[in-house]
Amino acid sequence: MPDWAAFAVATVALTLLLLFLTRRSRRTLESARFVGSRSEIDEADDDSDTDHAPTPDRRERPVLTTRLLLANAAVSQAVALVVLAAMAWWTAVPASAFGIGGTHPTFGTSTLATLGTPGLVALGAGAGAVLAVGNEAAARLGARAGVASSTRLREAMAPTDAGEWALLLAVALPVVAVFEEALFRGALVGAFAVGFAVDPWLLVVASSVAFGLGHGAQGRLGIAVAGGLGVALAGLFVATGSLLAVAVAHYVVNAVEFVVHERSDPTPAGSEREWD
């Protein structure tokens, strides 16, 4: 018998912890210096010593690398995913409530249920492509209105060589997509709807607000756009009852953003990325 109350308390606590850590990470990013790889940090510092005497403030700022950021994203999200899975196992919440391994108890339609894994992957990829276009349109409209989103995090994580692109596209982004969908759609919408018989659209709104706040590093417009994306992904989840479909869609949105914006204007390896 699932212990829905215990699962709900643990899930809300995990969400709040995630939002807290996101806020802390945002402060670190605001003060950090970025270089292409860890081995190049000393070289960058030596160059700064040659050009001008470094100020104490510059020396005290944390130095981050692209590989470090990508590895941190993959590891931290993987750990959080394991914690979420352990919580579900400990409280006996069925995988189907997350939209995993079969038909969701209340979501989806009979037509979509017959798609199978290849069909759900294709549906997720198509939805992700559409959402990626919508994300880009919203960002451009915001920029025209004078409310541009912050691209600092994306630029800091932008790969500078083939190895970093592989780390981003094959490791970091898949892990991020799976964990965030498992938490914000699978747990906060799917499992809560099953366990507490709550209107799923109320859960969609609440989870999407949390999802938007979790993207605070992208600024106010980024929060709003992420919140809108959360609503769209949750709508897809309610329509399909499949965590696989929304995870694929989420991955496509993130991958397209990096490829479109960073592939066309990469930062040379070894250069220092720094913003005021």
Side-chain angles (χ1 to χ4, degrees):
M1 185 77 177
D3 188 344
W4 292 108
F7 177 74
V9 170
T11 300
V12 171
L14 178 62
T15 304
L16 293 176
L17 176 62
L18 176 66
L19 296 180
F20 171 75
L21 294 176
T22 298
R23 186 176 180 84
R24 289 287 301 271
S25 298
R26 178 184 178 183
R27 292 176 180 175
T28 300
L29 287 171
E30 289 173 348
S31 61
R33 290 189 294 133
F34 300 95
V35 295
S37 68
R38 187 74 207 174
S39 63
E40 293 156 353
I41 292 177
D42 293 337
E43 180 181 346
D45 286 339
D46 290 342
D47 290 343
S48 67
D49 291 340
T50 302
D51 296 338
H52 55 79
T55 63
D57 178 69
R58 180 181 176 85
R59 282 296 191 185
E60 292 172 0
R61 293 170 63 185
V63 179
L64 301 175
T65 69
T66 300
R67 285 186 176 86
L68 179 62
L69 285 172
L70 294 175
N72 176 71
V75 172
S76 61
Q77 301 279 283
V79 169
L81 180 61
V82 170
V83 170
L84 180 60
M87 287 160 39
W89 173 80
W90 185 261
T91 56
V93 173
S96 61
F98 286 82
I100 300 173
T103 304
H104 188 276
T106 58
F107 297 165
T109 65
S110 58
T111 301
L112 293 175
T114 63
L115 289 177
T117 298
L120 290 172
V121 170
L123 177 62
V130 172
L131 292 174
V133 173
N135 253 20
E136 183 67 19
R140 293 190 178 189
L141 286 174
R144 290 183 180 181
V147 192
S149 60
S150 173
T151 59
R152 182 182 178 86
L153 178 59
R154 188 191 71 216
E155 292 172 355
M157 295 178 67
T160 58
D161 57 39
E164 289 178 355
W165 274 108
L167 180 59
L168 173 74
L169 296 176
V171 181
L173 292 188
V175 172
V176 168
V178 170
F179 167 66
E180 291 189 348
E181 291 311 310
L183 176 63
F184 291 105
R185 260 61 70 180
L188 294 178
V189 178
F192 281 19
V194 173
F196 301 101
V198 180
D199 185 336
W201 294 106
L202 293 177
L203 298 172
V204 165
V205 172
S207 67
S208 297
V209 169
F211 184 68
L213 293 175
H215 292 74
Q218 298 175 17
R220 293 181 179 178
L221 179 61
I223 292 175
V225 172
L229 176 62
V231 171
L233 289 170
L236 179 63
F237 182 55
V238 172
T240 63
S242 169
L243 189 68
L244 175 61
V246 291
V248 170
H250 190 152
Y251 171 82
V252 169
V253 170
N254 288 346
V256 167
E257 182 177 6
F258 272 97
V259 171
V260 168
H261 290 280
E262 304 303 332
R263 184 68 175 174
S264 59
D265 187 24
T267 301
S271 64
E272 182 174 347
R273 307 179 218 188
E274 185 171 356
W275 303 273
D276 296 329

